[in-house]
Amino acid sequence: MASCSKGALLSATKLLHSPQNAHRLASAALGLKIAIQAGPSSVRRAATVAGPNKPDAKGPKDRPVDDRKGKTGDLKPSQRRYALLRRPDVTTGHERPSQRPYGVAMQVEKVLKTGQLEDAVKMVSSAPISSQNTVVWTLLVKQAFADGLPNRAFKLFSDMKKRGFQPTSRTYATIFSGYNQLSDSELTDKQWERVEGLWEQYQSYLESVRSQEDQDIVLHHSSRHDNILSPYVPFLELLGRRGLHDRIMPLFEELAESHLAQDKYVCTTFLLQIAQRTTLGGREADIEDVYVQNAEDTQAIASKMQAAGVVDSFALTAILRGLIKGTEQHHQFGYDLVIATVGDISKPDEMIKAKAPASVKLEHRLLDLILELCCVTRKYDVALNLFDGLKQTPAKRILTRSHVDYALDALAYQAAEVEQAASLATEKFQKDGESATETNSSTNLKIFSQRALEILEYAVIQGYGTHPMDILPNRATYNRVLVTAWRCGDWESAARAVELMTGLDLSQFRQPRSPSWFKRNITPQKSTDKVISLDAQSMGYLVRTANRLRDNSAIRVAVRLFDYCSFGAFFPLPGKAARRLGTPVRTMDGFYQFKLAAAIQESAIVLMDTQLTPEQRADYKALLEQVKEVKEKLKVHE
């Protein structure tokens, strides 16, 4: 007969003779006799079959949770968490987990929110293996990086693997994101060696996943696949930070061999990092060659994304950013891709009213790049028609100041090309001995300046309207209108743009008054927060427009406005030219200041040939001396 413990016999006998088991006494006694012969484990099973002794059974409330304290309420918070995590098993006397890993993860998150990383590590390390998993350890790794402890995070990752928990793609993504959060000084060579080693481990993990899934195309559409490639995003950003852009395209080519390369988020990250490349083969190269190579790689990735049908608004934005600085071939590819995904932008009315929605939604940043692409490819009418078409629809809410600027750029470029063509035609007529019709050419050019003024007025009205849009012009916007008016020789449009900009009524400057009178009696008609002061660039375009027309009345207004704003507003004194190693260098501010000084000098010379009072002649002479001095200081910009 097998030996049986005294405790097992007492437990079985107690259950056997309880009042609740009286009706099963005979069968229970037989079972107990057989169990005693079989061994202690059979005794316990027989007692259980006989039925639990409910009055004497101990439930969860009766189990002790701590030998030193009678209840968990008397423990410290950290001790209470430990007591809840591990309770002694009354039946066997061994400790067992009272929570699954999910519950442990919830408790760990609560502890981490209080900033107690080490308490959370102790809680997890002391818990039974069955209460731990990769998710719990990943939480610890993430918090260590958040606390700026990369070495501690790597140690936790190593401890996790030692305990038999294999990292997942989410774990690798967490680690690479953590390293990406480090500053350049913290991302040392030693840390980078760890990153490289972790990347090799992730590649091994990815190969195991591929072999398990057999590269099934269904994997691309599964929710699991959404996380498989997530580590690529922070790792590519790390490569970009280290200046290792040349490794990015080979990684994509390796990935492109599988169906996993159809992930739009990962492909977009490839595009963004390629656009930031500034060297070729790890060596300095001509920047134009770099731009062309970037565009070439961008087109290769975009072609695969288009074939897979994973081009969205964000991806298309990244694609156009990489193509714009490429060649005409890249520009045409980008334009065709826009037509295929967004719609026929050359026909905005049909595109907006189309019943079938486009595969890519037109958004703010995407519209920026589409308009820029149209300007680069000299499709100025397409850009302007698209802007005008959006103005007439509810989609106008996506229009911002940047879109206004691109539309004005299109008009400026178009006016410049027409002006150049007219100049060449004039030279040809003069060479052939024929007379050119300059008046008709000037009239045709005014179409562009007038349209630019209309766009400017639209932006001002919408910016200050009942439902204001983020479209209010800034100084650069006004300058775009002024440069177009100068090219077109349109004083009226230039003067109106200055009025909208400053709130001044330029007709008041036509009166033959002294400079002091203008300063006393003329004030802006707009509130101060809506006024933009003139700078050397805007004032220069206004004066040059008047000089171009040889209109003495317009020249007087421009010079009086210049004097009204004060000489020092445009030429800060004392002024020193920018210098590098003792040699003066060109700057944009200096360039426009020089142009303004030259324009004012020309205007003063013209006005001195008119009928003037001795006082006026003396004023213009003094002005000439001042601008000559400024031109001498800024002669490097000539």
Side-chain angles (χ1 to χ4, degrees):
M1 174 175 165
S3 62
C4 183
S5 67
K6 183 178 180 181
L9 287 174
L10 289 175
S11 177
T13 305
K14 185 175 181 180
L15 286 170
L16 183 62
H17 293 284
S18 63
Q20 289 81 0
N21 293 325
H23 62 285
R24 293 190 294 173
L25 182 61
S27 59
L30 180 60
L32 179 61
K33 181 178 180 181
I34 297 173
I36 291 173
Q37 296 176 353
S41 60
S42 298
V43 172
R44 286 193 295 270
R45 283 197 299 271
T48 303
V49 170
N53 191 352
K54 294 182 180 179
D56 297 331
K58 291 187 177 182
K61 294 183 179 179
D62 299 318
R63 294 175 181 171
V65 295
D66 193 281
D67 294 336
R68 298 167 301 170
K69 307 276 186 177
K71 52 185 179 180
T72 59
D74 298 332
L75 304 178
K76 295 180 180 179
S78 59
Q79 295 173 330
R80 188 182 307 116
R81 286 191 293 266
Y82 180 79
L84 291 173
L85 193 64
R86 297 172 63 93
R87 289 179 175 174
D89 191 324
V90 176
T91 304
T92 62
H94 298 289
E95 293 182 344
R96 65 179 181 83
S98 62
Q99 293 188 15
R100 295 181 179 180
Y102 173 79
V104 176
M106 296 294 290
Q107 291 189 15
V108 168
E109 283 187 328
K110 291 181 180 179
V111 177
L112 292 177
K113 286 181 179 179
T114 63
Q116 300 176 3
L117 174 62
E118 294 306 322
D119 286 351
V121 173
K122 182 178 179 181
M123 177 192 301
V124 176
S125 302
S126 303
I129 293 296
S130 57
S131 291
Q132 307 175 32
N133 63 5
T134 303
V135 174
V136 174
W137 282 93
T138 301
L139 289 173
L140 300 176
V141 172
K142 181 178 180 180
Q143 186 61 42
F145 274 116
D147 292 345
L149 304 172
N151 294 330
R152 182 61 169 142
F154 186 79
K155 179 66 168 55
L156 291 171
F157 175 78
S158 302
D159 290 345
M160 178 191 73
K161 294 183 66 178
K162 289 178 181 178
R163 292 171 181 259
F165 300 110
Q166 296 303 316
T168 64
S169 59
R170 187 178 297 275
T171 308
Y172 286 113
T174 299
I175 293 177
F176 292 133
S177 297
Y179 279 111
N180 197 26
Q181 293 172 3
L182 300 179
S183 63
D184 292 338
S185 59
E186 293 174 330
L187 192 59
T188 60
D189 292 340
K190 180 179 180 181
Q191 300 292 357
W192 182 250
E193 289 179 5
R194 290 177 175 176
V195 171
E196 294 280 22
L198 290 166
W199 180 252
E200 293 178 1
Q201 295 180 35
Y202 168 67
Q203 290 297 306
S204 301
Y205 162 79
L206 196 59
E207 287 297 329
S208 67
V209 173
R210 289 175 181 172
S211 61
Q212 293 170 13
E213 301 289 347
D214 294 328
Q215 296 187 355
D216 190 352
I217 189 61
V218 178
L219 184 62
H220 171 62
H221 301 287
S222 67
S223 59
R224 180 185 177 189
H225 176 263
D226 293 339
N227 293 325
I228 288 179
L229 297 180
S230 56
Y232 267 87
V233 175
F235 182 72
L236 291 173
E237 294 176 354
L238 282 167
L239 288 178
R241 288 181 56 187
R242 299 284 291 187
L244 302 174
H245 294 91
D246 293 324
R247 288 181 53 182
I248 293 177
M249 200 59 192
L251 281 178
F252 178 80
E253 292 171 353
E254 293 176 6
L255 199 62
E257 297 177 359
S258 68
H259 298 294
L260 298 177
Q262 299 175 2
D263 187 287
K264 61 182 179 183
Y265 301 107
V266 175
C267 289
T268 302
T269 306
F270 274 104
L271 293 168
L272 293 175
Q273 294 305 317
I274 286 174
Q276 298 179 13
R277 179 170 52 189
T278 57
T279 60
L280 292 177
R283 56 180 174 78
E284 294 294 332
D286 184 73
I287 193 62
E288 295 299 327
D289 295 337
V290 176
Y291 288 154
V292 171
Q293 186 59 51
N294 291 350
E296 193 70 24
D297 293 342
T298 298
Q299 182 172 338
I301 298 175
S303 299
K304 291 190 177 295
M305 294 182 70
Q306 185 181 15
V310 294
V311 177
D312 61 1
S313 178
F314 191 65
L316 184 56
T317 301
I319 291 170
L320 295 182
R321 185 182 290 112
L323 295 175
I324 280 178
K325 295 182 179 180
T327 63
E328 292 184 4
Q329 173 194 352
H330 302 128
H331 298 159
Q332 189 59 44
F333 173 82
Y335 186 80
D336 293 340
L337 184 60
V338 170
I339 298 294
T341 54
V342 177
D344 191 353
I345 57 176
S346 63
K347 302 175 182 177
D349 294 337
E350 297 180 7
M351 181 188 75
I352 295 171
K353 296 178 182 179
K355 295 182 179 180
S359 59
V360 173
K361 183 180 178 182
L362 192 60
E363 296 181 351
H364 162 258
R365 183 56 185 149
L366 176 58
L367 180 58
D368 269 347
L369 289 165
I370 290 176
L371 294 174
E372 184 179 357
L373 179 64
C374 291
C375 291
V376 171
T377 56
R378 301 170 62 184
K379 294 181 171 62
Y380 307 122
D381 288 331
V382 175
L384 293 168
N385 291 337
L386 178 59
F387 181 85
D388 289 339
L390 291 173
K391 287 195 309 183
Q392 310 301 326
T393 67
K396 70 179 183 180
R397 301 299 302 181
I398 72 169
L399 293 176
T400 62
R401 181 174 58 235
S402 61
H403 305 138
V404 173
D405 290 346
Y406 281 120
L408 293 175
D409 284 342
L411 283 169
Y413 296 146
Q414 201 169 14
E417 290 187 1
V418 174
E419 180 192 21
Q420 184 178 10
S423 177
L424 293 174
T426 301
E427 292 179 3
K428 184 176 184 302
F429 282 130
Q430 291 176 350
K431 185 177 181 181
D432 296 341
E434 301 178 9
S435 59
T437 56
E438 185 176 349
T439 304
N440 291 338
S441 174
S442 177
T443 303
N444 293 335
L445 284 171
K446 284 187 177 181
I447 297 175
F448 304 112
S449 58
Q450 290 170 357
R451 193 171 182 183
L453 182 61
E454 290 175 0
I455 293 175
L456 179 65
E457 291 176 336
Y458 171 81
V460 172
I461 292 172
Q462 295 298 325
Y464 290 119
T466 307
H467 303 286
M469 298 165 52
D470 185 20
I471 202 174
L472 275 176
N474 59 8
R475 181 179 282 108
T477 307
Y478 285 106
N479 286 339
R480 283 175 165 86
V481 179
L482 288 169
V483 70
T484 305
W486 164 66
R487 289 191 178 281
C488 299
D490 187 355
W491 168 259
E492 291 77 13
S493 296
R496 179 56 182 159
V498 169
E499 290 178 343
L500 291 172
M501 181 178 183
T502 62
L504 298 171
D505 183 2
L506 295 194
S507 64
Q508 294 180 329
F509 289 92
R510 294 184 179 276
Q511 305 178 48
R513 303 284 186 173
S514 63
S516 60
W517 184 91
F518 292 119
K519 292 184 179 181
R520 288 195 311 268
N521 295 277
I522 297 180
T523 57
Q525 299 176 354
K526 297 196 302 184
S527 59
T528 307
D529 60 322
K530 298 180 181 179
V531 169
I532 298 177
S533 60
L534 293 167
D535 63 354
Q537 183 181 2
S538 52
M539 190 72 232
Y541 282 128
L542 182 69
V543 178
R544 291 164 70 188
T545 303
N547 291 341
R548 181 169 186 166
L549 294 173
R550 300 182 180 88
D551 184 348
N552 290 347
S553 176
I555 292 174
R556 287 191 187 93
V557 171
V559 173
R560 288 168 182 169
L561 178 62
F562 173 84
D563 188 65
Y564 171 84
C565 295
S566 78
F567 188 91
F570 305 108
F571 308 112
L573 297 177
K576 293 184 179 179
R579 308 179 72 86
R580 183 181 296 118
L581 299 178
T583 304
V585 296
R586 294 171 62 91
T587 62
M588 291 304 298
D589 289 341
F591 172 79
Y592 288 117
Q593 288 173 2
F594 179 85
K595 289 294 184 181
L596 174 58
I600 291 294
Q601 183 181 25
E602 180 182 352
S603 298
I605 293 173
V606 170
L607 293 177
M608 287 186 70
D609 291 339
T610 62
Q611 293 183 354
L612 299 172
T613 64
E615 183 181 354
Q616 290 174 335
R617 190 172 298 277
D619 290 340
Y620 285 130
K621 187 176 180 180
L623 180 60
L624 276 173
E625 293 297 329
Q626 284 181 303
V627 295
K628 283 181 180 178
E629 183 181 353
V630 170
K631 284 184 63 179
E632 182 64 25
K633 290 182 178 180
L634 300 173
K635 61 182 180 180
V636 68
H637 300 285
E638 186 174 3

